[in-house]
Amino acid sequence: MEFHVVTLFPELFESPLSCGLLGRAIRAGLISVVLHPLRSYGLGRYRQVDDAPYGGGHGMVMRPEPIAAAFDAALAQRPGLWRVMLTPQGEVLDQLKVEQLARYRPGLLLLAGRYEGIDERVGTLVDQELSIGDYVLAGGELPALVVIEAVARLVPGVIGNPQSLREESLSGAMLEYPQYTRPREFRGQRVPEVLLSGDHEKVRAWRHDQALKRTRQRRPDLLGKIKP
Ligand code: SAM
């Protein structure tokens, strides 16, 4: 799967894409990330990408022409990309949306904004506007990386054991059951006996109960979304 990103700060992607799960997935050829530096499409001698807002106000707004030119270049390179603008005004990302995004082929074209925002008319160039949560960041680069990592985890082969994807938090709109490893006792807290029993059916039932209990306590809003 391919991820294309239009950004003013391609250097912000270097370290996150070079190590861990994403680094391994790229080296294995399971995903690729193509960065399109917006400055290269800037206007005039100074490669301008922003301007003052019409009607006045503070801050600068990203102009539409450089973004349109970067999109054209990305789409000429890889037609059919699903175009996503990262904005705090978009639909809020959750695991269900991540699953939908993971189905697009050849992949995603992500637009990372900066400054006070993006000219409204850029909305006509995208298929979807996405927020990663109800807070405001300085730019869309971290949101783009959040989308890339969340989606890449679902690309076949990226996570060694696909069973772990099925069991983890939010995969069935439930939080994951509590996990334990060694030692058996830590500061007076013992690992639940059932996990030491070797009885897989009992372990499975216990985990399901715990997941339900935990979801009820911490995120009751999710229970209405449980998949049959
Ligand atoms: N003034 C804008 C508004 O109120 O909608 C916020 C602009 S923000 C400072 C600059 C850029 O950061 C946005 O264009 C967007 O790409 C990105 N951004 C900030 N918070 C985000 C969020 N929660 N989700 C996705 N992108 C975000």
Side-chain angles (χ1 to χ4, degrees):
M1 181 167 187
E2 288 185 25
F3 300 90
H4 290 243
V5 190
V6 173
T7 169
L8 271 171
F9 294 105
E11 59 274 30
L12 275 175
F13 291 80
E14 277 166 25
S15 159
L17 295 180
S18 67
C19 53
L21 175 125
L22 289 177
R24 277 198 306 278
I26 291 170
R27 285 189 291 278
L30 296 168
I31 63 164
S32 63
V33 181
V34 183
L35 300 171
H36 299 270
L38 188 59
R39 192 64 68 187
S40 316
Y41 302 93
L43 305 167
R45 221 172 113 202
Y46 297 106
R47 301 268 175 209
Q48 190 187 353
V49 295
D50 59 331
D51 217 323
Y54 277 123
H58 58 96
M60 300 293 270
V61 175
M62 293 176 79
R63 294 180 60 130
E65 312 96 305
I67 294 172
F71 269 38
D72 287 349
L75 291 163
Q77 190 178 339
R78 188 61 71 211
L81 295 167
W82 181 255
R83 303 159 303 168
V84 177
M85 170 158 63
L86 280 324
T87 161
Q89 301 184 27
E91 305 164 41
V92 180
L93 187 67
D94 60 13
Q95 191 62 20
L96 198 62
K97 290 199 177 72
V98 170
E99 287 169 18
Q100 285 161 357
L101 291 169
R103 290 192 200 109
Y104 290 114
R105 291 293 181 280
L108 307 177
L109 171 53
L110 304 168
L111 170 61
R114 280 270 154 181
Y115 311 125
E116 266 316 299
I118 302 171
D119 186 286
E120 184 66 16
R121 292 163 291 183
V122 171
T124 62
L125 304 179
V126 300
D127 301 300
Q128 189 173 15
E129 299 188 14
L130 264 189
S131 163
I132 61 157
D134 290 337
Y135 42 83
V136 179
L137 299 166
E141 286 76 14
L142 296 179
L145 283 163
V146 166
V147 171
I148 293 171
E149 181 159 318
V151 171
R153 296 178 77 252
L154 304 185
V155 171
V158 170
I159 296 236
N161 177 6
Q163 180 65 19
S164 67
L165 287 177
R166 280 196 286 280
E167 287 183 355
E168 69 190 356
S169 289
L170 308 173
S171 57
M174 274 213 281
L175 302 182
E176 194 180 52
Y177 49 80
Q179 297 273 21
Y180 294 88
T181 184
R182 286 181 191 162
R184 280 189 180 207
E185 186 169 334
F186 172 69
R187 297 189 177 176
Q189 301 171 81
R190 292 178 61 79
V191 172
E193 274 313 314
V194 62
L195 298 179
L196 310 173
S197 68
D199 184 331
H200 298 301
E201 192 42 44
K202 269 194 192 157
V203 169
R204 199 201 54 74
W206 180 85
R207 285 179 167 166
H208 183 266
D209 285 353
Q210 291 291 316
L212 202 57
K213 191 170 151 201
R214 176 162 284 203
T215 310
R216 252 190 222 120
Q217 279 169 350
R218 300 185 183 188
R219 294 290 308 277
D221 57 300
L222 292 175
L223 288 171
K225 301 184 190 169
I226 287 185
K227 288 182 202 161

